[in-house]
């Protein structure tokens, strides 16, 4: 696919692997080259990914075959209005080093999306202006979308402690 | 106080002078506030009537949608998706089902695609009616709200005919839909749309040229084209800023490439343009739904078997007693509640894939293969098992691009389901839209953003 | 004596009758049930004919708190505060299954029934309840208001 070819050409070894499962162009990028990649995707005229559609993460600690690999994968979905193409970029980080550079400088919406990833997974974003919880309250302890957080461990603020 | 206090300082005390003392008033709007769009907290800093800074806090309706989806099978997540954007639940159902179908690599039937298109458009009209009605009510036009909710009732009767429920319908399934359309649906749709068009006409006469409405909405809550794109805003707000991006046009899915419709755009990016875009979209949605119902392939299935028709209870009894010889050929008289779920009808609207779609009841009770098929899809540990992988499917929700990102690990439960909420970017951009506007401008701006709590907080 | 209690019971009935037909609701709307609440309050399934058609958007001015929609743990302190701000006599209606028992949201974020936080008078189950159920619940609330001993 043209997008993946262009990324491989410009970034070289920073692109760890690519695939096109079910037609979605996906590239796994090394963390150090992430900001450069995102800038390239946004500014290069042939790519022109003006819109950061989604920024999310996934916890691979219970995925069959990947339990020992890097725990978190931060996923960026980009879309280009000019060329009408999409790409998915992924960055893999370990649990004890779960820090990813923040994309807030490139797209202002990354501010809230990264806050949500911090809230749900505990992946920190360096240089984020305001990294606090988005969907849960500050007194909440833990990161619920991690696989080791049981779904009904409640932490009520008022009322009976269940 | 300065040496010679100004009259204002003298009356109000120190620091309340020119603003260099900087005592802005902090007013919190929410979380429980009457604008009836949902629960959200907007902490504003006011200088008189002007909002200098605003900080939006969300998450008051966080119901752990993504975590709940990982607990059961793929079809288990459908009721949770209903309650995401609860004013247009059909679009969420179908978008999620399409994401899983993409992951499985299967195609649904043509008739199903047309049904999905028509029902999504009906849902879209319901959403826009609620949004415009509620925003108008907050500006004082209570009559408009009553008229639009009345029109929404007509549409909900249609939805109830097809799905059985008014609001949280759980109609989509992975591989198709729950049941075929009932008889005479197209006539009912024609009637309901005629009444809806009358209501829209009345609302146009009441609001579109109304001096007060225009004064409150024009030039308010403006967001420039570049900002709208940078903030990732899609849907009616992006089209009101001049970018004709519509997922239905850009990546046609279901039957959107076989119907004709326009994508209304405006250029100003203020509240009034968003209102005009929504009103025009409702008309286009009605057009799409009518075309989809006209062009739908397939139709009522007349089975021509020999043998007396049995009522369902005796059919099941015979199956359980093992008297299944020839049972598959016997037609069943289904109750009106199950209209559209007879074998022929169900096979028209569901993909012909045994690993995904439940067999019709005639097969489940009338033959051993059907029974085994049913078992293999329902029992824990079995069920729909897409191969390992991930897929992202984008559809056009009422507020913008509604995307579902599903990761499968090969088992019968989704490993990760992510919903890309279309109303998160506009709410994130709300402080930018209302800075240096007056407090009273916050209300129509927030109304035109159409924040739906279930989708924002998931 | 008998005569005195006859007058007070007739007065109770009269006040009960007056209170039950002039319900000022505070619709604490959070989620999907809000759509059915709107449907019940608008012209098709009119709630105004029961005297309950004027929502007061301030807890100080309301007497019935309709808790409509899921209450999450983040929202629970706000709900308690609103309930505390209402003046007596007050009643609470748990509208929708999420407020009755938590609904099918058995997870870390949802309060499993608002009766763990505030006392509830009428439970209206349904996800969301049809407007007919809402009207039935409202009528039961009216019966409850009418028969209780009125303090004033």
């Amino acid at each position: 696919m043209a997008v993946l070819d262009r990324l491989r050409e410009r970034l070289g070894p920073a692109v760890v692997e690519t695939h096109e499962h079910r037609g979605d162009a996906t590239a796994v990028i090394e963390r150090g080259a992430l900001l450069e990649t995102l800038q390239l995707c946004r500014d290069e005229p042939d790519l022109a990914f003006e819109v950061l559609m989604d920024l999310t993460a996934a916890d691979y600690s219970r995925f069959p075959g990947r339990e020992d690999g890097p725990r978190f994968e931060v996923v960026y979905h980009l879309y280009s209005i000019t060329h009408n193409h999409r790409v998915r970029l992924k960055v893999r980080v370990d649990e004890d080093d779960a820090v990813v550079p923040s994309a807030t400088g490139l797209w202002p919406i990354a501010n809230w999306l990264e806050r949500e990833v911090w809230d749900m997974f505990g992946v920190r974003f360096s240089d984020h202006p305001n990294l606090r919880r988005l969907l849960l309250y500050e007194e909440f302890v833990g990161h619920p979308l991690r696989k080791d957080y049981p779904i009904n461990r409640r932490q009520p603020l008022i009322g009976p402690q269940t | 106080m300065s040496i010679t206090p100004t009259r204002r300082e003298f009356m109000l005390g120190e620091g309340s002078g020119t603003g260099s003392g900087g005592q802005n008033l902090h007013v919190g709007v929410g979380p429980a506030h009457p604008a009836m769009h949902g629960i959200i907290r907007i902490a504003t800093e006011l200088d008189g009537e002007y909002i200098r800074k605003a900080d939006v806090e969300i998450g008051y309706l966080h119901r752990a949608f993504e975590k709940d989806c990982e607990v059961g099978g793929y079809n288990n997540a459908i009721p949770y998706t209903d309650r995401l954007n609860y004013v247009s639940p059909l679009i969420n159902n179908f978008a999620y089902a399409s994401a899983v179908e993409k992951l499985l690599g299967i195609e649904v039937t043509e008739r199903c695609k047309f049904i999905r298109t028509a029902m999504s458009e009906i849902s879209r009209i319901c959403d826009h009616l609620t949004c415009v009605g509620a925003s108008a009510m907050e500006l004082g036009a209570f009559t408009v709200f009553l008229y639009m909710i009345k029109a929404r009732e007509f549409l909900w009767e249609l939805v109830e005919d097809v799905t059985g429920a008014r609001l949280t319908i759980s109609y989509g399934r992975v591989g198709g839909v729950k049941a075929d359309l009932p008889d005479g649906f197209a006539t009912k749709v024609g009637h309901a749309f005629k009444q809806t068009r009358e209501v829209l006409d009345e609302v146009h006469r009441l609001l579109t040229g109304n001096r007060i409405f225009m004064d409150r909405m024009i030039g308010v809550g403006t967001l420039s084209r570049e900002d709208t794109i940078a903030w990732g805003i899609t849907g009616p707000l992006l089209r009101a800023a001049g970018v004709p991006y519509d997922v239905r046009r850009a990546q046609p899915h279901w039957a959107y490439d076989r119907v004709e419709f326009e994508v209304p755009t405006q250029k100003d990016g203020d509240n009034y343009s968003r209102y005009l875009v929504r009103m025009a979209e409702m008309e286009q949605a009605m057009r799409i739904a009518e075309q989809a119902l006209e062009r739908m392939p397939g139709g009522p299935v007349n089975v021509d078997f020999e043998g007396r028709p049995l009522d369902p209870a005796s059919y099941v009894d015979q199956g359980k007693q093992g008297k299944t010889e020839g049972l598959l050929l016997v037609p069943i008289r289904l109750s009106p509640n199950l209209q559209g779920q007879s074998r022929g009808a169900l096979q028209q609207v569901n993909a012909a894939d045994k690993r995904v779609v439940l067999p019709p009841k005639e097969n489940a009770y009338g033959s051993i293969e059907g029974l085994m098929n049913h078992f293999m899809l329902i029992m824990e540990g079995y069920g729909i098992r897409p191969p390992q992988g991930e897929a992202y499917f984008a559809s056009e929700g009422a507020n913008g691009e509604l995307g579902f990102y599903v990761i499968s690990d090969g088992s019968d439960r989704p490993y990760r389901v992510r919903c890309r909420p279309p109303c998160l970017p506009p709410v994130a951009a709300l402080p930018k839209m209302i800075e240096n506007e007056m407090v009273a401008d916050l209300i129509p701006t927030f109304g035109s953003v159409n924040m739906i709590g279930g989708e924002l907080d998931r | 004596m008998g005569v005195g209690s006859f007058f007070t019971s007739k007065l109770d009935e009269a006040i009960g009758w007056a209170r039950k037909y002039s319900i000022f609701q505070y619709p604490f709307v959070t989620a999907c049930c809000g759509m059915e609440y709107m449907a019940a309050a608008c012209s098709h399934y009119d709630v105004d004919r029961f005297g309950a058609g004027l929502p007061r958007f301030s807890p100080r001015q309301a007497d019935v708190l309709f808790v409509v929609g899921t209450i999450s743990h983040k929202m629970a302190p706000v709900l308690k505060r609103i309930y505390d701000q209402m003046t007596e006599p007050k009643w609470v209606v748990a509208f929708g299954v999420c407020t009755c028992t938590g609904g099918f949201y058995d997870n870390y974020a949802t309060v499993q029934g608002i009766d763990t936080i505030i006392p509830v008078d009428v439970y209206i189950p349904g996800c969301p309840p049809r407007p007919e159920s809402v009207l039935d619940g409202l009528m039961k609330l009216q019966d409850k208001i009418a028969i209780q001993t009125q303090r004033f």
Side-chain angles (χ1 to χ4, degrees):
Chain A
M1 202 167 257
V3 171
L4 292 177
D5 290 334
R6 177 55 67 97
L7 284 176
R8 272 191 287 258
E9 181 193 318
R10 292 296 296 267
L11 297 164
V15 176
V16 172
E17 64 179 80
T18 61
H19 71 76
E20 277 169 38
H21 188 67
R22 306 290 184 223
D24 290 343
T26 312
V28 182
I29 309 284
E30 258 184 48
R31 178 173 51 181
L34 178 68
L35 281 183
E36 185 198 328
T37 315
L38 291 174
Q39 177 111 32
L40 177 77
C41 285
R42 189 184 69 160
D43 295 332
E44 168 112 354
D46 284 336
L47 297 175
F49 287 109
E50 308 101 338
V51 186
L52 175 66
M53 269 309 172
D54 197 15
L55 203 174
T56 181
D59 175 358
Y60 278 86
S61 58
R62 301 253 171 97
F63 198 90
R66 286 179 57 174
E67 293 95 334
D68 303 320
R71 184 171 185 186
F72 296 115
E73 200 173 78
V74 180
V75 182
Y76 297 75
H77 282 99
L78 302 174
Y79 174 72
S80 163
I81 298 182
T82 332
H83 300 296
N84 193 13
H85 54 207
R86 293 180 188 268
V87 76
R88 180 186 303 140
L89 298 174
K90 306 208 272 189
V91 179
R92 295 188 179 147
V93 285
D94 277 312
E95 183 175 351
D96 16 337
D97 181 26
V99 186
V100 172
S102 167
T104 324
L106 296 167
W107 290 284
I109 186 59
N111 191 321
W112 273 31
L113 293 170
E114 288 170 356
R115 276 175 65 186
E116 189 184 334
V117 172
W118 160 246
D119 191 359
M120 293 286 130
F121 288 94
V123 176
R124 217 163 245 293
F125 289 85
S126 53
D127 308 321
H128 191 283
N130 184 14
L131 195 67
R132 47 191 173 103
R133 286 188 183 271
L134 187 72
L135 298 177
L136 288 168
Y137 37 97
E138 288 296 332
E139 297 87 338
F140 196 90
V141 172
H143 299 280
L145 272 176
R146 289 189 176 190
K147 290 290 178 182
D148 49 2
Y149 191 94
I151 186 165
N152 41 21
R153 178 189 294 166
R154 282 177 255 276
Q155 298 176 31
L157 292 171
I158 59 171
Q161 308 292 326
T162 26
Chain B
M1 278 215 214
S2 53
I3 295 177
T4 47
T6 58
R7 184 185 167 79
R8 185 180 167 145
E9 276 179 349
F10 184 72
M11 301 296 278
L12 296 175
E14 201 168 341
S16 53
T18 51
S20 54
Q23 271 192 359
N24 288 338
L25 180 65
H26 292 260
V27 169
V29 181
H33 65 97
M36 270 215 273
H37 284 272
I39 36 182
I40 189 172
R41 183 162 169 264
I42 308 176
T44 55
E45 222 178 87
L46 303 177
D47 172 19
E49 279 286 310
Y50 289 92
I51 300 178
R52 293 299 171 216
K53 267 198 330 203
D55 178 35
V56 181
E57 190 179 333
I58 64 172
Y60 289 97
L61 193 60
H62 180 64
R63 294 183 285 194
F65 160 75
E66 296 175 358
K67 190 95 179 167
D68 267 329
C69 282
E70 296 169 12
V71 172
Y74 279 87
N75 270 331
N76 251 48
I78 300 273
Y80 291 107
T81 58
D82 274 341
R83 289 144 176 91
L84 282 175
N85 184 338
Y86 38 77
V87 255
S88 59
L90 285 151
I91 308 183
N92 308 342
N93 271 189
F94 298 148
Y96 169 74
S98 298
V100 183
E101 283 152 19
K102 186 173 173 183
L103 197 56
L104 283 164
I106 66 176
E107 272 285 306
V108 291
T109 63
E110 285 301 303
R111 188 172 168 85
C112 174
K113 290 183 185 168
F114 278 89
I115 292 181
R116 282 183 175 178
T117 310
M119 299 309 293
S120 293
E121 293 307 310
I122 293 180
S123 253
R124 191 187 313 278
I125 305 172
C126 291
D127 195 313
H128 288 329
L129 283 172
T130 316
C131 170
V132 176
S135 333
M137 177 175 69
E138 285 147 26
L139 291 178
F142 191 58
T143 310
V144 170
F145 179 67
L146 289 177
Y147 285 178
M148 294 199 133
I149 299 298
K150 174 184 82 167
R152 195 180 71 170
E153 288 288 334
F154 301 143
L155 296 172
W156 275 2
E157 273 171 22
L158 291 178
V159 172
E160 197 182 7
D161 253 340
V162 176
T163 67
R166 286 146 58 93
L167 186 66
T168 47
I169 51 3
S170 302
Y171 181 58
R173 297 280 182 274
V174 176
V177 289
K178 174 192 123 189
D180 203 346
L181 299 175
D183 304 322
F185 186 63
T187 338
K188 287 187 210 153
V189 165
H191 189 61
F193 279 0
K194 173 162 155 299
Q195 289 173 310
T196 310
R197 286 191 168 105
E198 282 167 14
V199 166
L200 286 183
D201 220 8
E202 283 171 342
V203 171
H204 263 299
R205 280 201 305 258
L206 280 171
L207 284 185
T208 310
N210 186 319
R211 183 81 256 153
I212 299 178
F213 188 74
M214 285 164 74
D215 277 345
R216 284 208 67 178
M217 300 275 267
I218 293 186
V220 169
T222 324
L223 202 57
S224 70
R225 190 171 184 271
E226 292 71 32
D227 273 337
T228 315
I229 298 179
W231 280 92
I233 297 178
T234 51
L237 276 83
L238 183 63
R239 294 194 277 279
V243 180
Y245 169 55
D246 188 329
V247 185
R248 297 173 290 177
R249 253 301 136 69
Q251 289 115 52
H253 46 89
W254 309 333
Y256 284 114
D257 45 358
R258 277 160 288 183
V259 292
E260 280 112 37
F261 63 101
E262 281 162 24
V263 173
T265 44
Q266 293 282 326
K267 353 180 239 34
D268 293 320
D270 59 10
N271 288 342
Y272 192 66
S273 324
R274 293 167 194 152
Y275 157 78
L276 290 175
V277 166
R278 288 202 168 98
M279 295 295 280
E281 272 188 18
M282 281 197 261
E283 184 53 51
Q284 293 303 313
M286 284 195 267
R287 208 174 141 197
I288 298 177
E290 285 165 344
Q291 286 175 49
L293 288 170
E294 235 175 274
R295 299 177 189 184
M296 198 171 290
V301 180
N302 289 319
V303 286
D304 186 2
F305 296 129
E306 293 189 298
R308 298 174 300 117
L310 276 186
D311 70 296
S314 352
Y315 193 92
V316 171
D317 277 343
Q318 284 207 312
K320 285 181 180 172
Q321 290 167 33
K323 300 186 184 143
T324 54
E325 185 170 326
L327 200 58
L328 261 187
L329 298 172
V330 176
I332 312 187
R333 233 190 342 259
L334 284 182
S335 96
N337 291 345
L338 295 173
Q339 195 180 25
Q341 285 188 328
S342 62
R343 179 179 27 216
L346 210 58
Q347 285 171 343
Q348 277 192 98
V349 293
N350 277 306
D353 192 333
K354 286 189 159 168
R355 293 160 305 154
V356 173
V357 176
L358 282 178
K361 292 296 178 219
E362 291 94 331
N363 289 28
Y365 283 111
S367 75
I368 198 71
E369 293 83 20
L371 187 66
M372 287 306 299
N373 192 358
H374 187 104
F375 242 47
M376 295 301 278
L377 283 171
I378 296 286
M379 294 302 281
E380 202 168 309
Y382 299 90
I384 302 175
R385 278 175 291 170
Q388 276 189 7
E390 55 195 5
Y392 177 81
F393 180 82
S395 69
E396 177 78 12
N399 283 335
E401 173 169 324
L402 171 67
F404 278 92
Y405 173 56
V406 183
I407 304 182
S408 156
D409 60 350
S411 73
D412 62 330
R413 296 173 185 207
Y415 191 74
R416 170 103 172 93
V417 175
R418 156 82 182 170
C419 164
R420 187 253 171 204
C423 61
L424 185 91
V427 175
L430 192 65
K432 188 129 178 62
M433 284 191 228
I434 58 174
E435 66 181 2
N436 299 327
E437 304 263 358
M438 295 202 241
V439 174
D441 293 329
L442 170 61
I443 304 298
T445 312
F446 187 64
S448 71
V449 152
N450 196 20
M451 164 237 166
I452 306 284
E455 185 176 67
L456 182 69
D457 299 333
R458 279 150 291 128
Chain C
M1 275 277 289
V3 178
S5 64
F6 167 77
F7 279 119
T8 43
S9 75
K10 277 294 168 211
L11 191 56
D12 269 350
E13 269 177 43
I15 293 182
W17 174 88
R19 277 194 175 137
K20 83 175 182 181
Y21 284 127
S22 63
I23 291 180
F24 286 110
Q25 358 141 354
Y26 182 85
F28 192 87
V29 169
T30 52
C32 356
C33 279
M35 301 298 114
E36 284 293 6
Y37 171 76
M38 274 155 59
C42 287
S43 28
H44 212 94
Y45 297 96
D46 197 7
V47 121
D48 200 5
R49 42 195 171 130
F50 295 90
L54 286 180
R56 298 280 113 205
F57 287 109
S58 161
R60 306 279 185 201
Q61 299 169 7
D63 51 10
V64 177
L65 176 65
F66 269 77
V67 188
V68 182
T70 323
I71 299 293
S72 65
H73 280 293
K74 191 168 179 181
M75 196 62 185
V78 178
L79 174 64
K80 179 89 173 75
R81 196 147 170 201
I82 300 272
Y83 176 75
D84 288 338
Q85 283 180 341
M86 286 169 70
T87 53
E88 293 281 349
K90 57 187 174 188
W91 296 274
V92 175
V93 173
F95 187 122
V97 121
C98 288
T99 49
C100 297
T101 56
F104 68 168
Y105 290 109
D106 185 9
N107 53 42
Y108 58 85
T110 310
V111 172
Q112 303 292 292
I114 58 168
D115 49 8
T116 53
I117 311 178
I118 56 181
V120 174
D121 290 292
V122 175
Y123 296 85
I124 307 181
C127 190
R130 278 198 65 108
E132 288 92 346
S133 296
V134 175
L135 297 177
D136 189 32
L138 187 63
M139 284 160 65
K140 288 192 160 55
L141 177 69
Q142 285 183 328
D143 291 338
K144 188 163 184 181
I145 295 177
I147 63 174
Q148 66 185 56
T149 43
Q150 311 295 341
R151 322 269 216 78
F152 52 94

